């Protein structure tokens, strides 16, 4: 039986009174991340190979790793060791503050604009040096540089984890980024295998844990020749996104980059 609107409104008002929404950074009431703290959240964009950590100009996969890896690079905005970034992501994922998707999506969209501005400085020189058809299939460049056929694909959750959390943070983040950038979201992958949380495992165990965890929902004809940004909250070893990238590459995707809020482990920082 549905409760009357006045009861729902009274319950919400009581909840706000007892547990007011406060900025997770400064404590100001009214938002989980106030406007001032949104503006102060730094951008320390990754410039290292997502697989081995060696320095690279744009966060692309280094030459040795490129021989054996499917993921072409990672665009990540802030070290996970940054206290505020860690608090926001933890509250978003594990405390069920779903509305943080909007604030984090805004942060991501602004970060993408910063990356685009940096790329714009070299776009003309690169286009002069490469034929357009070569540029569109050049995996070492972030797909944003190509500005064509770019699709956002969120990392899927297993249905059990989705029921527990109530939402897929990667999907919500992709939708929020799409609203700001215009890049379409394609929710084409699923996670039929329930796995242990990657964060609880040693680096060498993560690839075993995530093996055979993903598959395509439908035929992937629409992916041929596209440039993919796999969206997630954090990239650490890259095992999860690499597993997805292998499947997508076999479906004919041109290039695959990760797009995440944070990178690295909670107690480590690597800014490249």
């Amino acid at each position: 039986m549905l409760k009357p609107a006045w009861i729902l409104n009274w319950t919400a008002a009581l909840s706000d009174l007892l547990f007011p929404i406060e900025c997770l950074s400064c404590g100001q009431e009214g938002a989980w991340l106030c406007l001032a703290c949104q503006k102060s959240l730094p951008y320390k964009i990754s410039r290292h190979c997502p697989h081995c950590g060696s320095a690279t100009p744009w966060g692309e996969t280094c030459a040795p790793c490129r021989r054996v890896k499917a993921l072409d690079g990672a665009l990540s905005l802030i070290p996970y060791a940054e206290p505020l970034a860690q608090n926001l992501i933890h509250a978003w994922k594990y405390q069920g503050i779903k509305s943080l998707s909007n604030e984090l999506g805004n942060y991501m969209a602004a970060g993408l604009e910063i990356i685009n501005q940096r790329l714009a400085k070299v776009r003309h020189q690169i286009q002069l040096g490469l034929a357009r058809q070569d540029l569109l299939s050049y995996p070492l460049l972030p797909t944003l540089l190509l500005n064509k056929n770019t699709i956002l694909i969120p990392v899927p959750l297993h249905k059990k984890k989705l029921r527990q959390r109530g939402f897929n943070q990667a999907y919500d983040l992709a939708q929020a980024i799409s609203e700001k950038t215009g890049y379409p979201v394609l929710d084409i992958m699923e996670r039929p295998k329930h796995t242990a949380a990657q964060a609880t495992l040693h680096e060498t165990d993560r690839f075993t844990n995530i093996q055979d965890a993903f598959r395509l929902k439908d035929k992937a004809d629409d992916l041929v020749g596209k440039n993919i940004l796999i969206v997630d909250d954090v990239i650490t070893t890259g095992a999860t996104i690499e597993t997805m990238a292998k499947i997508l590459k076999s479906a004919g995707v041109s290039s695959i980059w990760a797009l995440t809020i944070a990178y690295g482990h909670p107690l480590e920082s690597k800014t490249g």
Side-chain angles (χ1 to χ4, degrees):
M1 180 177 178
L2 293 176
K3 295 181 179 180
W6 69 269
I7 293 181
L8 296 176
N9 292 337
W10 180 84
T11 303
L14 181 61
S15 178
D16 289 343
L17 179 64
L18 296 176
F19 309 103
I21 295 175
E22 295 180 346
C23 176
L24 294 170
S25 178
C26 69
Q28 178 179 320
E29 291 189 11
W32 294 112
L33 185 64
C34 71
L35 186 59
C37 290
Q38 282 187 48
K39 292 180 179 179
S40 67
L41 189 61
Y43 290 97
K44 299 179 181 179
I45 297 169
S46 60
R47 293 185 177 180
H48 60 268
C49 172
H51 304 286
C52 70
S54 61
T56 56
W58 298 103
E60 69 270 21
T61 298
C62 68
C65 289
R66 222 163 39 238
R67 300 189 188 102
V68 294
K69 299 294 186 180
L71 182 65
D72 295 311
L75 300 172
S76 302
L77 304 182
I78 189 170
Y80 196 34
E82 286 284 337
L84 179 53
Q86 195 172 147
N87 289 343
L88 288 169
I89 292 172
H90 190 274
W92 181 43
K93 290 176 65 175
Y94 303 117
Q95 296 177 24
I97 305 178
K98 187 177 185 293
S99 59
L100 272 171
S101 299
N102 294 325
E103 283 92 340
L104 293 171
N106 291 337
Y107 175 74
M108 290 285 282
L112 291 178
E113 181 58 29
I114 291 173
I115 294 171
N116 258 327
Q117 290 172 2
R118 292 179 179 177
L119 290 171
K121 296 178 181 179
V122 298
R123 180 178 287 117
H124 182 63
Q125 289 88 340
I126 292 175
Q127 288 178 331
L128 287 177
L130 291 172
R132 185 62 184 169
Q133 61 268 26
D134 293 332
L135 183 64
L136 288 174
S137 60
Y138 195 61
L140 301 187
L141 303 176
T143 55
L144 296 178
L145 178 62
L146 310 177
N147 200 27
K148 185 177 181 181
N149 294 330
T150 299
I151 295 173
L152 305 174
I153 295 182
V155 174
L157 286 179
H158 185 268
K159 58 184 179 181
K160 181 178 180 181
K161 181 63 69 65
L162 184 59
R163 283 196 303 268
Q164 291 173 343
R165 187 169 296 167
F167 68 101
N168 178 358
Q169 78 281 354
Y171 178 81
D172 284 6
L173 187 61
Q175 291 287 1
I177 295 169
S178 178
E179 290 177 6
K180 296 290 184 180
T181 63
Y183 296 131
V185 177
L186 188 61
D187 190 20
I188 198 171
M189 299 202 74
E190 60 185 359
R191 195 168 188 159
K193 177 184 174 183
H194 185 256
T195 59
Q198 290 286 84
T200 66
L201 300 175
H202 187 273
E203 181 174 346
T204 55
D205 296 324
R206 295 188 179 200
F207 286 92
T208 303
N209 180 57
I210 209 72
Q211 188 175 1
D212 300 323
F214 303 103
R215 68 187 178 199
L216 290 167
K217 291 180 181 179
D218 305 301
K219 291 183 179 180
D221 296 342
D222 291 342
L223 295 177
V224 176
K226 298 296 192 298
N227 300 299
I228 302 300
L229 291 172
I230 298 177
V231 179
D232 205 3
D233 53 336
V234 181
I235 183 170
T236 49
T237 63
T240 297
I241 297 177
E242 170 66 15
T243 302
M244 291 178 61
K246 287 179 179 178
I247 296 171
L248 292 167
K249 277 286 179 72
S250 67
V253 169
S254 288
S255 70
I256 304 172
W257 282 63
L259 176 59
T260 71
I261 302 167
Y263 56 91
H265 295 273
L267 300 179
E268 299 175 356
S269 177
K270 182 186 286 293
T271 58

